[in-house]
PDB file of all heavy atoms in Angstrom:
ATOM      1  N   GLY A  73      -2.597   5.409   6.537  1.00 97.00           N
ATOM      2  CA  GLY A  73      -1.984   6.329   5.583  1.00 97.00           C
ATOM      3  C   GLY A  73      -1.057   5.424   4.611  1.00 97.00           C
ATOM      4  O   GLY A  73      -0.717   4.300   4.855  1.00 97.00           O
ATOM      5  N   VAL A  74      -0.687   6.182   3.440  1.00 95.00           N
ATOM      6  CA  VAL A  74       0.211   5.556   2.402  1.00 95.00           C
ATOM      7  C   VAL A  74      -0.315   4.118   2.068  1.00 95.00           C
ATOM      8  O   VAL A  74       0.507   3.250   1.932  1.00 95.00           O
ATOM      9  CB  VAL A  74       1.672   5.546   2.950  1.00 95.00           C
ATOM     10  CG1 VAL A  74       2.618   5.427   1.901  1.00 95.00           C
ATOM     11  CG2 VAL A  74       2.001   6.857   3.744  1.00 95.00           C
ATOM     12  N   SER A  79      -0.365   8.358  -2.796  1.00 86.00           N
ATOM     13  CA  SER A  79      -0.161   8.941  -1.539  1.00 86.00           C
ATOM     14  C   SER A  79       1.265   8.882  -1.229  1.00 86.00           C
ATOM     15  O   SER A  79       2.025   9.734  -0.774  1.00 86.00           O
ATOM     16  CB  SER A  79      -0.984   8.369  -0.431  1.00 86.00           C
ATOM     17  OG  SER A  79      -0.663   8.915   0.809  1.00 86.00           O
ATOM     18  N   ARG A  83       3.844  12.024  -0.529  1.00 83.00           N
ATOM     19  CA  ARG A  83       4.548  12.244   0.851  1.00 83.00           C
ATOM     20  C   ARG A  83       6.063  12.315   0.634  1.00 83.00           C
ATOM     21  O   ARG A  83       6.783  12.935   1.386  1.00 83.00           O
ATOM     22  CB  ARG A  83       4.289  11.171   1.788  1.00 83.00           C
ATOM     23  CG  ARG A  83       2.873  10.740   1.986  1.00 83.00           C
ATOM     24  CD  ARG A  83       1.955  11.696   2.843  1.00 83.00           C
ATOM     25  NE  ARG A  83       0.622  11.353   2.404  1.00 83.00           N
ATOM     26  CZ  ARG A  83      -0.415  12.063   2.705  1.00 83.00           C
ATOM     27  NH1 ARG A  83      -0.459  13.153   3.412  1.00 83.00           N
ATOM     28  NH2 ARG A  83      -1.611  11.641   2.198  1.00 83.00           N
ATOM     29  N   TYR A  96       8.091   6.920   3.986  1.00 88.00           N
ATOM     30  CA  TYR A  96       6.902   6.657   3.287  1.00 88.00           C
ATOM     31  C   TYR A  96       7.106   5.397   2.343  1.00 88.00           C
ATOM     32  O   TYR A  96       6.188   4.512   2.231  1.00 88.00           O
ATOM     33  CB  TYR A  96       6.366   7.843   2.486  1.00 88.00           C
ATOM     34  CG  TYR A  96       6.125   9.019   3.497  1.00 88.00           C
ATOM     35  CD1 TYR A  96       6.980  10.112   3.686  1.00 88.00           C
ATOM     36  CD2 TYR A  96       5.023   9.032   4.377  1.00 88.00           C
ATOM     37  CE1 TYR A  96       6.728  11.026   4.576  1.00 88.00           C
ATOM     38  CE2 TYR A  96       4.738  10.015   5.178  1.00 88.00           C
ATOM     39  CZ  TYR A  96       5.579  11.043   5.347  1.00 88.00           C
ATOM     40  OH  TYR A  96       5.369  12.075   6.248  1.00 88.00           O
ATOM     41  N   GLU A 106       0.695   2.075   8.251  1.00 97.00           N
ATOM     42  CA  GLU A 106       0.625   3.365   9.010  1.00 97.00           C
ATOM     43  C   GLU A 106      -0.790   3.512   9.445  1.00 97.00           C
ATOM     44  O   GLU A 106      -1.706   3.603   8.670  1.00 97.00           O
ATOM     45  CB  GLU A 106       1.057   4.662   8.168  1.00 97.00           C
ATOM     46  CG  GLU A 106       0.914   5.878   9.020  1.00 97.00           C
ATOM     47  CD  GLU A 106       1.001   7.132   8.203  1.00 97.00           C
ATOM     48  OE1 GLU A 106       0.841   7.079   6.946  1.00 97.00           O
ATOM     49  OE2 GLU A 106       1.116   8.243   8.789  1.00 97.00           O
ATOM     50  N   GLU A 135      -8.429  15.067   1.817  1.00 98.00           N
ATOM     51  CA  GLU A 135      -7.969  13.657   1.440  1.00 98.00           C
ATOM     52  C   GLU A 135      -9.306  12.802   1.388  1.00 98.00           C
ATOM     53  O   GLU A 135      -9.854  12.508   2.496  1.00 98.00           O
ATOM     54  CB  GLU A 135      -6.995  13.160   2.426  1.00 98.00           C
ATOM     55  CG  GLU A 135      -5.604  13.835   2.228  1.00 98.00           C
ATOM     56  CD  GLU A 135      -4.481  13.196   2.928  1.00 98.00           C
ATOM     57  OE1 GLU A 135      -4.780  12.161   3.721  1.00 98.00           O
ATOM     58  OE2 GLU A 135      -3.313  13.698   2.798  1.00 98.00           O
ATOM     59  N   GLU A 137     -11.459   9.721   1.474  1.00 98.00           N
ATOM     60  CA  GLU A 137     -11.109   8.357   1.859  1.00 98.00           C
ATOM     61  C   GLU A 137     -12.333   7.482   2.185  1.00 98.00           C
ATOM     62  O   GLU A 137     -13.245   7.959   2.945  1.00 98.00           O
ATOM     63  CB  GLU A 137     -10.231   8.463   3.123  1.00 98.00           C
ATOM     64  CG  GLU A 137      -8.977   9.350   2.912  1.00 98.00           C
ATOM     65  CD  GLU A 137      -7.857   9.212   3.922  1.00 98.00           C
ATOM     66  OE1 GLU A 137      -7.938   8.356   4.768  1.00 98.00           O
ATOM     67  OE2 GLU A 137      -6.940  10.015   3.778  1.00 98.00           O
ATOM     68  N   ASP A 156      -9.996  13.388   5.207  1.00 98.00           N
ATOM     69  CA  ASP A 156      -8.918  13.559   6.274  1.00 98.00           C
ATOM     70  C   ASP A 156      -8.175  14.797   5.837  1.00 98.00           C
ATOM     71  O   ASP A 156      -7.102  14.782   5.186  1.00 98.00           O
ATOM     72  CB  ASP A 156      -8.067  12.269   6.011  1.00 98.00           C
ATOM     73  CG  ASP A 156      -6.675  12.420   6.802  1.00 98.00           C
ATOM     74  OD1 ASP A 156      -6.553  13.170   7.707  1.00 98.00           O
ATOM     75  OD2 ASP A 156      -5.774  11.630   6.324  1.00 98.00           O
ATOM     76  N   GLU A 163       3.164  18.747   7.606  1.00 95.00           N
ATOM     77  CA  GLU A 163       3.482  17.341   7.580  1.00 95.00           C
ATOM     78  C   GLU A 163       4.862  17.253   6.793  1.00 95.00           C
ATOM     79  O   GLU A 163       5.743  16.376   7.249  1.00 95.00           O
ATOM     80  CB  GLU A 163       2.450  16.653   6.820  1.00 95.00           C
ATOM     81  CG  GLU A 163       2.615  15.089   6.736  1.00 95.00           C
ATOM     82  CD  GLU A 163       1.484  14.528   5.746  1.00 95.00           C
ATOM     83  OE1 GLU A 163       0.378  15.089   5.663  1.00 95.00           O
ATOM     84  OE2 GLU A 163       1.781  13.470   5.239  1.00 95.00           O
ATOM     85  N   LEU A 170       3.150  15.239  12.242  1.00 97.00           N
ATOM     86  CA  LEU A 170       1.903  14.637  11.671  1.00 97.00           C
ATOM     87  C   LEU A 170       0.683  14.990  12.416  1.00 97.00           C
ATOM     88  O   LEU A 170      -0.322  15.343  11.991  1.00 97.00           O
ATOM     89  CB  LEU A 170       2.072  13.136  11.392  1.00 97.00           C
ATOM     90  CG  LEU A 170       0.920  12.468  10.715  1.00 97.00           C
ATOM     91  CD1 LEU A 170       1.028  12.782   9.135  1.00 97.00           C
ATOM     92  CD2 LEU A 170       0.862  10.964  10.880  1.00 97.00           C
ATOM     93  N   LYS A 174      -2.717  16.855  10.995  1.00 98.00           N
ATOM     94  CA  LYS A 174      -3.808  16.026  10.728  1.00 98.00           C
ATOM     95  C   LYS A 174      -5.011  16.257  11.752  1.00 98.00           C
ATOM     96  O   LYS A 174      -6.158  15.952  11.467  1.00 98.00           O
ATOM     97  CB  LYS A 174      -3.420  14.488  10.922  1.00 98.00           C
ATOM     98  CG  LYS A 174      -2.581  14.055   9.817  1.00 98.00           C
ATOM     99  CD  LYS A 174      -3.295  13.968   8.570  1.00 98.00           C
ATOM    100  CE  LYS A 174      -2.603  13.118   7.475  1.00 98.00           C
ATOM    101  NZ  LYS A 174      -3.297  13.049   6.267  1.00 98.00           N
ATOM    102  N   GLY A 246      -7.137   5.890   3.913  1.00 98.00           N
ATOM    103  CA  GLY A 246      -6.107   6.487   3.137  1.00 98.00           C
ATOM    104  C   GLY A 246      -6.619   7.120   1.785  1.00 98.00           C
ATOM    105  O   GLY A 246      -7.621   6.639   1.209  1.00 98.00           O
ATOM    106  N   THR A 247      -5.743   7.951   1.355  1.00 97.00           N
ATOM    107  CA  THR A 247      -6.155   8.618   0.050  1.00 97.00           C
ATOM    108  C   THR A 247      -5.384   8.230  -1.183  1.00 97.00           C
ATOM    109  O   THR A 247      -4.169   7.943  -1.005  1.00 97.00           O
ATOM    110  CB  THR A 247      -6.077  10.195   0.217  1.00 97.00           C
ATOM    111  OG1 THR A 247      -6.668  10.769  -0.961  1.00 97.00           O
ATOM    112  CG2 THR A 247      -4.626  10.624   0.233  1.00 97.00           C
TER     113      THR A 247
HETATM  114  O1  DO4 B 301       1.685   9.680   6.313  1.00 52.44           O
HETATM  115  C1  DO4 B 301       0.960  10.585   6.454  1.00 52.44           C
HETATM  116  C2  DO4 B 301      -0.476  10.616   6.228  1.00 52.44           C
HETATM  117  C3  DO4 B 301      -1.038   9.634   5.063  1.00 52.44           C
HETATM  118  C4  DO4 B 301      -2.343   9.823   4.804  1.00 52.44           C
HETATM  119  O2  DO4 B 301      -3.131  10.465   5.530  1.00 52.44           O
HETATM  120  C5  DO4 B 301      -2.938   9.095   3.575  1.00 52.44           C
HETATM  121  O3  DO4 B 301      -2.224   8.442   2.859  1.00 52.44           O
HETATM  122  O4  DO4 B 301      -4.213   9.236   3.404  1.00 52.44           O
END
Side-chain angles (χ1 to χ4, degrees):
V74 199
S79 176
R83 315 281 158 191
Y96 298 104
E106 179 197 10
E135 293 192 354
E137 306 194 6
D156 169 24
E163 182 187 336
L170 187 76
K174 294 287 190 177
T247 191

